[in-house]
Amino acid sequence: MLAKITSSLCVGIESSLIEVEVDISSGLPQITIVGLPDQAVKESKDRIKAAIKNSGFHFPSRKKILINLAPADIKKEGPIFDLPIAIAILVAHGHIHPKHVESFCIIGELALNGALRAVKGALPIAMGLKGTIKKLILPIYNAREAALQQNVAVYPVRSLEEAVHFLNGDKTITQFSVSLSNYLQNKQKYPVDFSDVRGQLFTKRALEIAVSGAHNILMVGPPGSGKTMLAKRLPTIFPDLTYDEALEITKVHSATGTLKSHHGFISLRPFRFPHHTISAIALAGGGPIPKPGEVSLAHNGILFLDELPEFNRNVLEVLRLPMEDKTVTVARIKQVMTFPASFILVCAMNPCPCGFFGDRKKECHCSTAKIEKYLSKISGPLLDRIDMHIEVGRLTIKEFKSDHTEESSEKIRQRVNQVRQLQEERFRNTKNIHFNAQMNPKEIDAFCTRTNKAQELLELAMKELAFSARAYHKILKIARTIRDMKTVHSCTPRHISLLDKVIPIESDDISEALQYRGLDRNWLNRS
Ligand SMILES: Nc1ncnc2c1ncn2[C@@H]1O[C@H](COP(=O)(O)OP(=O)(O)OP(=O)(O)O)[C@@H](O)[C@H]1O
Ligand SMILES: [Mg+2]
Ligand SMILES: [Zn+2]
């Protein structure tokens, strides 16, 4: 007898419906799986057989069982088809009526005792359900993430036995649902705060600009100056995630299988902090079973590369495309997968191998050649994509001991929020651009109007300080963010939407922006 079950497979962060067909006939006893299965799917035969027997059902051992996974041109990976294949065998064998399975999509990995294990990609799978299939049977561990897709009925099960009883109407399972407002009301809480960091006003200001306009930033400073400490506090000054942002991030984690079952929803801004020994594939995504890399796990958040020169130069090269396109494309046989990758890149490094070049108190013992070699480890094209480079100095004992109360993350965050709202209005009709840092020359022309004085200063700086043409655009974008910050902070939030969205950049905005281009001036001849 022939049986058919609808299942689904997550490919990248999208999903495809898969038909699982099972035919049981007389003939030489054997189980064959066709339809481009990988090794894990082929190995499922024995698992399924054991799970069916151990769940108390009869397995047709003396029959010929043909399992077809369609369409045949999609490579079927992983153990996600265990449950639909087992159910299809039980339908074909007469344990379940075919009518009872028609409206369901079924996914799940089976243990030998018939218990279900979590699978990857439950959220993209729920989001990909269409037509008449709007009901999903899946392992209980994946219920939360799948239920985020509100127009799909999610039925969580613990075992094959439970799934069969439910389909036969012998057991009731309540549809699983989550309250989205509960998730979003979950205010972001962090154990760290900007007020932990004493002094460093210049660096704090630069970081606020970076987050406000989504500019990539590099911090250069001696050991112990607080670079890592500051970077780790960056998520605390971002605006709360919107529902759409949170859903995009959760989708990536669902596809990677890194969601905790009791969470199901990522509501914290990503802060990814990969070690410098990371491989190109782990950073950008890919591999034999393609997975999103750190750039995608940092989507809508921060990718922090601490000790930048320690990273392998070739590994850093893979950042170039995602930084430009805000997505990563992984090519595979017969298919191309695209993962989102829109993040702010934050890097930190010492100015030289000993760490004290340019320090006010400690002497640097590195030769010029040694410093040059150290700096040359950083990929030029990567540096080109970083808007801001700043020097972070060490605190003096006096600054460190001062009893001055530092500004809290919450206060900074409120300001960042306003500047981001202004940009949202500005770029409402501009496709794929949300923040100042993302402007192309066309938008720079339209939105970076400046006073004559500002233009004069910019031209003078280009000439005197030998800035490159590339730096010219970057300075304008940073100056745009600085002017936006000044504009919104001088008026009440209510008035923001009424503001002229292109208040001209002034010369003091340009002169401040110039300070955030430390590497344009020759690093070694600074002092
Ligand atoms: N401005 C500051 N306010 C309070 N504590 C600070 C400050 N700067 C540094 N510290 C203290 O010094 C420690 C070291 O700072 P951090 O690790 O951030 O330095 P770093 O610049 O990353 O150094 P390295 O170059 O060695 O990585 C912090 O954990 C913190 O305790
Ligand atoms: Mg550090
Ligand atoms: Zn040195």
Side-chain angles (χ1 to χ4, degrees):
M1 192 188 155
L2 181 74
K4 204 160 83 176
I5 298 280
T6 303
S7 187
S8 182
L9 176 67
C10 177
V11 184
I13 55 159
E14 305 302 330
S15 62
S16 299
L17 288 183
I18 304 289
E19 290 293 343
V20 176
E21 292 172 318
V22 169
D23 183 58
I24 302 182
S25 57
S26 310
L28 271 184
Q30 62 171 352
I31 309 173
T32 316
I33 303 183
V34 296
L36 218 57
D38 78 343
Q39 199 54 33
V41 177
K42 283 185 192 148
E43 282 167 4
S44 65
K45 288 182 211 169
D46 296 330
R47 247 191 339 261
I48 291 165
K49 194 170 167 183
I52 290 181
K53 283 183 172 171
N54 292 330
S55 301
F57 302 110
H58 179 252
F59 186 86
S61 303
R62 292 163 174 231
K63 301 274 184 177
K64 185 177 160 195
I65 303 176
L66 176 64
I67 300 160
N68 180 35
L69 305 174
D73 59 347
I74 299 178
K75 194 161 169 52
K76 320 296 182 313
E77 279 160 354
I80 195 164
F81 301 113
D82 287 6
L83 183 62
I85 292 176
I87 301 264
I89 291 174
L90 293 174
V91 171
H93 200 39
H95 280 290
I96 306 166
H97 196 283
K99 272 222 157 321
H100 293 171
V101 295
E102 269 173 6
S103 58
F104 288 98
C105 171
I106 302 176
I107 54 171
E109 174 182 350
L110 283 170
L112 297 182
N113 63 358
L116 279 168
R117 292 191 170 130
V119 292
K120 288 179 192 168
L123 175 58
I125 286 171
M127 290 173 92
L129 293 186
K130 40 188 178 265
T132 51
I133 309 283
K134 285 286 178 202
K135 294 195 267 181
L136 180 61
I137 294 180
L138 84 182
I140 192 158
Y141 313 102
N142 296 112
R144 261 177 209 283
E145 54 184 289
L148 292 172
Q149 175 61 13
Q150 304 266 288
N151 59 356
V152 165
V154 172
Y155 296 96
V157 288
R158 285 187 174 79
S159 63
L160 171 63
E161 193 186 356
E162 200 176 33
V164 174
H165 290 324
F166 170 61
L167 286 166
N168 277 335
D170 299 334
K171 183 181 167 72
T172 328
I173 292 178
T174 338
Q175 189 186 323
F176 191 93
S177 61
V178 291
S179 155
L180 286 181
S181 54
N182 271 0
Y183 277 119
L184 291 171
Q185 273 162 16
N186 248 342
K187 276 267 169 228
Q188 308 195 356
K189 283 199 190 80
Y190 295 94
V192 293
D193 196 278
F194 254 75
S195 58
D196 307 335
V197 185
R198 312 227 126 259
Q200 296 292 15
L201 294 186
F202 173 76
T203 312
K204 284 180 180 170
R205 165 90 180 160
L207 292 173
E208 182 178 340
I209 295 170
V211 175
S212 297
H215 302 281
N216 299 320
I217 185 166
L218 166 66
M219 292 184 276
V220 186
S225 54
K227 302 179 296 295
T228 306
M229 186 185 190
L230 281 154
K232 285 188 171 165
R233 280 154 182 78
L234 279 173
T236 66
I237 63 167
F238 269 75
D240 280 342
L241 285 179
T242 61
Y243 171 66
D244 286 346
E245 280 179 322
L247 201 61
E248 282 174 12
I249 300 166
T250 307
K251 224 172 142 184
V252 175
H253 280 269
S254 172
T256 331
T258 49
L259 273 182
K260 302 261 184 310
S261 60
H262 55 282
H263 274 142
F265 193 53
I266 306 273
S267 56
L268 277 192
R269 187 75 58 181
F271 179 80
R272 301 298 300 188
F273 188 177
H275 191 256
H276 58 73
T277 51
I278 191 171
S279 69
I281 286 179
L283 190 58
I289 298 173
K291 281 202 300 198
E294 288 293 327
V295 293
S296 301
L297 296 171
H299 180 60
N300 287 333
I302 299 157
L303 179 67
F304 176 44
L305 305 183
D306 205 359
E307 318 290 353
L308 188 64
E310 302 294 328
F311 282 79
N312 183 323
R313 221 184 130 108
N314 297 334
V315 169
L316 291 182
E317 292 293 307
V318 302
L319 288 174
R320 286 163 60 174
L321 274 176
M323 285 175 75
E324 216 108 284
D325 302 344
K326 307 288 172 210
T327 54
V328 180
T329 304
V330 181
R332 307 202 50 223
I333 312 160
K334 289 195 177 170
Q335 65 200 30
V336 172
M337 282 177 215
T338 303
F339 298 111
S342 176
F343 54 86
I344 297 185
L345 180 70
V346 177
C347 305
M349 62 182 274
N350 296 134
C352 67
C354 85
F356 292 102
F357 181 74
D359 193 80
R360 281 174 290 186
K361 289 269 164 64
K362 288 204 180 179
E363 205 182 325
C364 160
H365 299 289
C366 312
S367 65
T368 309
K370 222 170 143 191
I371 301 179
E372 267 170 1
K373 185 165 172 240
Y374 177 76
L375 293 178
S376 71
K377 285 201 223 161
I378 311 164
S379 135
L382 177 69
L383 268 188
D384 283 349
R385 284 163 179 78
I386 297 182
D387 289 357
M388 305 171 71
H389 359 101
I390 56 163
E391 284 177 64
V392 184
R394 267 185 313 131
L395 281 194
T396 59
I397 290 288
K398 201 173 142 213
E399 285 169 313
F400 197 71
K401 285 197 157 164
S402 137
D403 53 7
H404 174 74
T405 314
E406 303 294 339
E407 197 173 35
S408 70
S409 291
E410 182 53 28
K411 260 189 124 171
I412 307 173
R413 203 172 71 93
Q414 282 171 8
R415 291 198 299 263
V416 170
N417 234 338
Q418 290 180 329
V419 185
R420 288 198 156 210
Q421 272 170 29
L422 175 66
Q423 294 168 78
E424 208 172 281
E425 293 226 352
R426 172 179 300 140
F427 300 119
R428 183 154 287 157
N429 300 320
T430 320
K431 210 172 158 231
N432 293 335
I433 295 181
H434 306 282
F435 303 110
N436 292 339
Q438 297 166 344
M439 285 190 283
N440 296 314
K442 191 171 138 236
E443 288 82 30
I444 293 178
D445 274 349
F447 299 123
C448 292
T449 50
R450 45 216 177 259
T451 62
N452 290 340
K453 265 188 148 174
Q455 181 61 24
E456 278 164 25
L457 178 62
L458 184 57
E459 283 172 17
L460 186 72
M462 298 284 297
K463 218 160 57 200
E464 295 294 316
L465 301 169
F467 280 148
S468 66
R470 201 179 301 112
Y472 184 89
H473 278 156
K474 300 223 182 267
I475 293 163
L476 277 174
K477 290 198 254 186
I478 304 165
R480 177 72 271 162
T481 304
I482 295 171
R483 178 47 45 189
D484 289 348
M485 288 164 73
K486 290 178 184 163
T487 310
V488 293
H489 303 154
S490 60
C491 67
T492 56
R494 201 153 34 88
H495 291 129
I496 293 177
S497 58
L498 304 174
L499 285 172
D500 180 350
K501 286 168 235 157
V502 278
I503 286 182
I505 292 167
E506 298 199 15
S507 57
D508 54 350
D509 307 327
I510 297 284
S511 66
E512 184 179 352
L514 291 171
Q515 297 179 48
Y516 306 128
R517 296 290 304 173
L519 290 183
D520 287 333
R521 284 165 264 149
N522 191 341
W523 199 250
L524 294 173
N525 302 329
R526 283 172 314 159
S527 33

